[in-house]
């Protein structure tokens, strides 16, 4: 039972354009959402997070949007850069627990 | 060190062998997590420590898996009688606070291959 789903295994974008990565979840008890970026042979690196009481959080080129009614989360990267090429994981925390439930990841390729 | 350090980076074990994976968290970090990442999947939660207390071990897949953090810093994940399905990358993460509203910092992982 995959509680956090990233339905697009890969995404290709041109440099300078917007990258939109999507994530859907099924558990309405998630209260905190995070995005991690992972390069090959490295551990995931925290990117940006959002609490369930908000619908948007922005940090530089990265913006996360949360639509609780649709149980949908998205990460926007504007403008995309070749160095953004990595696997992006969406993760969610069940309320009252100190653990994260991860999606399966989306591989982003930003071409020059 | 500056980040979370895991050792060994790679481990090949014969089926039935016991293995021990080490995690050195960032100094002063209260929370420590272990995750298992199978090929093509996202990390899956195994267990959580707050200082030396193991507060959640609900993700450990069987009683062959055991984790400890006796002094509230270094942690060891032990897998007894390894099986092929244990092959995965084992990730350790630590965070400063006791509550996961701050980001957790991950190590590079230990890739375990059971042959």
């Amino acid at each position: 039972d995959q509680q956090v789903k990233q339905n697009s295994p890969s995404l290709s974008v041109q440099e300078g354009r917007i990258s939109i990565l999507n994530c859907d979840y099924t558990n309405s008890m998630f209260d905190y959402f995070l995005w991690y970026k992972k390069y090959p042979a490295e551990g995931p690196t925290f990117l940006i997070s959002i609490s369930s009481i908000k619908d948007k959080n922005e940090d530089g080129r990265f913006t996360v949007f949360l639509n609780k009614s649709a149980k949908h989360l998205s990460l926007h990267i504007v403008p995309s850069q070749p160095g953004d090429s990595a696997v992006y994981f969406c993760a969610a925390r069940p309320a009252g627990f100190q653990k994260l439930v991860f999606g399966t990841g989306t591989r982003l390729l930003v071409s020059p | 060190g500056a980040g979370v350090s895991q050792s060994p980076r790679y481990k090949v074990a014969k089926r039935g062998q016991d293995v021990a994976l080490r995690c050195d968290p960032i100094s002063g970090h209260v929370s420590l997590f272990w995750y298992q990442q199978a090929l093509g999947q996202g990390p899956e939660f195994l267990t959580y420590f707050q200082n030396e207390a193991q507060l959640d071990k609900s993700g450990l897949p069987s009683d062959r898996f055991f984790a400890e953090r006796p002094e509230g810093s270094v942690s060891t994940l032990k897998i007894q009688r390894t099986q092929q399905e244990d092959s995965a990358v084992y990730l350790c993460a630590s965070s400063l606070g006791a509550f996961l509203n701050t980001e957790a910092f991950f190590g590079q992982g230990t890739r375990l291959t059971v042959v």
Side-chain angles (χ1 to χ4, degrees), chain B residues 13-26:
Chain B
K14 290 186 177 178
R15 195 169 142 216
Q17 188 179 354
D18 296 351
V19 298
L21 312 180
R22 178 187 169 106
C23 173
D24 284 84
I26 294 173

Side-chain angles (χ1 to χ4, degrees), chain A residues 43-98:
Chain A
T45 303
F46 170 76
L47 200 54
I48 192 169
S49 63
I50 187 167
S51 163
S52 61
I53 63 173
K54 297 188 174 182
D55 54 18
K56 177 182 173 181
N57 187 26
E58 192 171 350
D59 183 4
R61 297 187 297 114
F62 303 92
T63 303
V64 55
F65 295 92
L66 176 61
N67 182 334
K68 285 190 293 295
S69 61
K71 293 191 175 68
H72 181 80
L73 191 69
S74 63
L75 173 68
H76 293 210
I77 306 173
V78 181
S80 302
Q81 299 174 356
D84 296 330
S85 298
V87 177
Y88 288 78
F89 289 98
C90 168
R93 182 183 74 174
F97 290 87
Q98 300 307 316

